[in-house]
Amino acid sequence: MYHCFPYCGHISIMGEIKISPDYNWFRSTVPLKKIIVDDDDSKVWSLYDAGPRNIRCPLIFLPPVSGTADVFFQQILALSGWGYRVIALQYPVYWEIFEFCDGFRKLLDHLQLDKVHLFGASLGGFLAQKFAEYTHKSPRVQSLVLCNAFSDTSIFNQTWTANSFWLLPAFMLKKIVLGNFASGPVDPEMADGIDFMVDRLESLGQSELASRLTLNCQNSYVEPHKIRDIPVTIMDVFDQSALSTEAKEEMYKLYPNARRAHLKTGGNFPYLCRSAEVNLYIQIHLLQFHGTRYAAIDPSMVSAEELEVQKANLQASTEQEQEQL
């Protein structure tokens, strides 16, 4: 069965995900923490931190414009259950990329994390690259997983309006964001994912949305020579998403040595509707750090048998990549 979303108005808040046992288990077992690291008390980072605390190089998730920290709940539940330390963030209101990067660096200092792996979705992927670039002289990013991400904000053709988002009321900002959501037929899992993201979007205030759209659209691009030594996995989908083919090709050019994780379907939010595949690709990405000080997993949780399975999956995915090239 397929659902069609014209997105003319507000969608029912009670989507399948919000009332699912997994989501309710997540909300009841993983506490939401709020942390202030700036002089401005209004700038509050919200985060979920799950898995073994002895891990000093965790995987941190950065959400898209419409997302909150809990959009990664399926990754948090699965990966922490397998022994990984994972942190999902929600940004305070920052209007400049530099301001975000400085705040994020202070947050890592507060959490006593020297280096981290970053998983960024859409805007989160762009911010992850900019943070790696910002800290390149004293590196804080060990690796990147970039999901439906971009490297240059000019692809949205809105750099000229970026400085006026702060003037717009919340309902107009939400309309702008919804315009990038899928509008054609989607399968039930994708429909549930879109429902959930619409609900998360509804929870964001005017300044949160306006600042994220400003970061998403103000004139900025990634300088690849500053981060070329960082291991990268580019995760994208073959079906409809907000990213153009040109934007995807630009990412491949920027990171010619990146591992590619292609999903046949998944739309804008594969971490919600294709979580098993996304989680596997994340494990494959992090496998290269097992046994090093940058491992995101507790060594005692890595069984030889599981490692062999992961290596087989890694080999299979690499062969698949080569066939597609």
Side-chain angles (χ1 to χ4, degrees), residues 13-14 18 33 63 78 91 95 110-112 114 118 138 151 161 171-172 195 215-217 235 266 280 308 312 320:
I13 285 179
M14 292 307 285
K18 197 175 179 187
K33 298 177 181 175
Y91 326 115
W95 298 95
H110 175 85
L111 296 171
Q112 298 181 315
D114 180 33
L118 297 179
S138 179
S151 59
T161 58
F171 80 89
M172 284 188 73
D195 259 359
L215 294 178
N216 200 85
C217 298
M235 186 180 295
L280 175 61
E308 287 308 312
Q320 187 182 0

Side-chain angles (χ1 to χ4, degrees), residues 267-310:
N268 288 316
F269 317 117
Y271 37 88
L272 279 170
C273 60
R274 300 290 184 268
S275 61
E277 289 176 74
V278 169
N279 294 347
L280 175 61
Y281 277 128
I282 290 171
Q283 283 184 286
I284 290 169
H285 172 85
L286 293 173
L287 180 62
Q288 61 192 300
F289 306 104
H290 283 16
T292 75
R293 60 186 289 242
Y294 302 116
I297 191 171
D298 187 330
S300 66
M301 297 289 283
V302 184
S303 69
E305 187 180 317
E306 184 192 1
L307 265 179
E308 287 308 312
V309 170
Q310 288 180 328

Side-chain angles (χ1 to χ4, degrees), residues 93 170 173-174 200-211:
V93 173
L173 296 171
K174 286 170 184 173
R200 299 297 81 206
L201 178 64
E202 286 294 332
S203 74
L204 297 173
Q206 191 275 345
S207 58
E208 287 176 294
L209 263 179
S211 62

Side-chain angles (χ1 to χ4, degrees), residues 205-246:
Q206 191 275 345
S207 58
E208 287 176 294
L209 263 179
S211 62
R212 291 182 185 193
L213 281 167
T214 302
L215 294 178
N216 200 85
C217 298
Q218 67 184 201
N219 194 20
S220 183
Y221 57 88
V222 175
E223 299 177 57
H225 62 281
K226 292 183 178 177
I227 55 176
R228 62 177 168 223
D229 296 329
I230 296 175
V232 174
T233 290
I234 296 174
M235 186 180 295
D236 53 20
V237 297
F238 285 145
D239 62 353
Q240 185 187 8
S241 76
L243 272 194
S244 65
T245 305
E246 293 75 24

